[in-house]
């Protein structure tokens, strides 16, 4: 279900109703999120029911990415897996579990999905909101492409940081080219697209990737390609279709 995103909306409605008592402007509410939080913001921008409760939005690294929502069938399979690990056969049984037992079952399910099943390059989070036809009628990326996002035209800031893929790539600095080829093969790309990716990312280390780093070219190719796919490309896609500003941090020093 989408109970988590509904909980967030309830909190937003409370802010809209009560923030004036704290000396703030109830007609100028901005929601902000980073990573999974940015995914939540893009979900609220895609849900008409959330529109009355905020006036502007900020997304840092994650809005409208593929992993921010999942098909209902995938969410249902995750539910069955959690039920199996908890020895429950119903939602009422899951609700009756102590928090520690439910957390353990959820952790076991997530471990199974991302290790035993081998989650692909482009896998959504197993806890993402789901396209249920009620809260989310389609994936936020698709809704954005069709012009069905942000009905109030709230001003938006969204951005990314260079090399964010380093947090998530399974490759190591010593990984050979065969590891990168295997990793890319789990993505949704045709042979022609993979050839283009090789041209884009398998380049001279000293001219494109940090020259002071001993890391291998395949490692940096995985970092940059994953970062572009997961963060930078969704940001560019959204910023071309929504009112507001976009940024991309290149260096910190």
């Amino acid at each position: 279900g989408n109970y988590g995103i509904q909980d967030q909306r309830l909190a937003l409605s409370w802010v809209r109703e009560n923030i004036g008592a704290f000396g703030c402007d109830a007609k100028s509410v901005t929601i902000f999120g980073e990573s999974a939080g940015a995914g939540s913001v893009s979900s609220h921008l895609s849900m008409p029911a959330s529109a009355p409760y905020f006036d502007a939005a900020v997304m840092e690294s994650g809005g409208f990415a593929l992993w921010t929502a999942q098909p209902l069938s995938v969410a249902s399979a995750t539910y069955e897996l959690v039920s199996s690990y908890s020895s429950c056969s119903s939602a009422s049984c899951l609700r009756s579990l102590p928090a520690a037992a439910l957390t353990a079952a959820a952790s076991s399910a997530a471990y199974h999905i991302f290790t035993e099943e081998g989650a692909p390059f482009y896998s959504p989070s197993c806890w993402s909101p789901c396209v249920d036809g009620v809260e989310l009628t389609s994936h936020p990326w698709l809704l954005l492409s069709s012009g069905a996002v942000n009905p109030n035209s709230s001003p938006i800031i969204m951005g990314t940081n260079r090399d964010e893929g380093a947090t998530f790539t399974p490759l190591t600095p010593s990984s050979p080219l065969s590891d990168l080829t295997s990793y890319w093969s789990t993505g949704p790309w045709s042979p022609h697209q993979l050839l283009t990716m090789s041209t884009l990312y398998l380049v001279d280390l000293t001219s494109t990737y940090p020259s002071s780093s001993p890391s291998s070219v395949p490692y940096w190719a995985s970092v940059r390609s994953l970062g572009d796919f997961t963060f930078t490309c969704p940001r560019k896609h959204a910023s071309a279709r929504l009112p507001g500003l976009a940024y991309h941090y290149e260096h910190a020093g």
Side-chain angles (χ1 to χ4, degrees):
N2 285 312
Y3 300 114
I5 211 78
Q6 291 171 340
D7 285 347
Q8 291 178 8
R9 184 186 302 132
L10 182 63
L12 291 175
S13 69
W14 186 94
V15 170
R16 182 71 96 190
E17 182 177 352
N18 295 286
I19 201 64
F22 295 85
C24 300
D25 185 357
K27 297 180 180 180
S28 184
V29 175
T30 298
I31 57 175
F32 166 83
E34 187 270 339
S35 191
S40 292
V41 172
S42 65
S43 291
H44 287 297
L45 287 165
S46 306
M47 295 174 169
S50 294
Y53 302 114
F54 64 94
D55 307 286
V58 181
M59 291 169 281
E60 181 179 351
S61 306
F64 297 101
L66 180 61
W67 52 265
T68 61
Q70 58 186 317
L72 183 59
S73 59
V74 175
S76 297
T78 301
Y79 165 78
E80 295 297 338
L81 199 56
V82 172
S83 297
S84 173
Y85 277 108
S86 66
S87 300
C88 278
S89 58
S90 65
S92 60
C93 173
L94 288 171
R95 286 194 293 267
S96 70
L97 291 176
L102 184 59
T103 299
S107 297
S108 296
Y111 181 83
H112 176 94
I113 291 169
F114 287 101
T115 57
E116 297 181 34
E117 293 186 7
F121 185 99
Y122 57 95
S123 175
S125 165
C126 56
W127 312 121
S128 297
C130 64
V131 179
D132 60 358
V134 180
E135 287 289 343
L136 269 179
T137 57
S138 185
H139 192 285
W141 173 289
L142 298 177
L143 292 171
L144 178 67
S145 301
S146 66
V149 164
N150 195 20
N152 292 347
S153 295
S154 304
I156 289 168
I157 298 174
M158 63 182 308
T160 48
N161 309 290
R162 194 181 70 177
D163 296 335
E164 292 186 276
T167 304
F168 304 101
T169 178
L171 272 66
T172 67
S174 61
S175 292
L177 179 59
S178 59
D179 285 356
L180 176 67
T181 302
S182 177
Y183 182 47
W184 278 354
S185 71
T186 65
W189 300 293
S190 68
H192 175 72
Q193 289 172 322
L194 287 171
L195 181 61
T196 301
M197 289 172 65
S198 295
T199 303
L200 288 172
Y201 296 108
L202 288 175
V203 292
D204 180 17
L205 179 64
T206 59
S207 64
T208 302
Y209 300 135
S211 59
S212 61
S213 171
S215 302
S216 66
V217 170
Y219 169 74
W220 280 108
S222 73
V223 168
R224 293 283 172 86
S225 60
L226 178 57
D228 286 348
F229 182 82
T230 305
F231 299 110
T232 305
C233 290
R235 186 261 301 169
K236 289 185 175 182
H237 179 70
S239 60
R241 291 164 175 81
L242 296 173
L245 301 172
Y247 68 86
H248 181 72
Y249 288 134
E250 290 279 338
H251 175 74

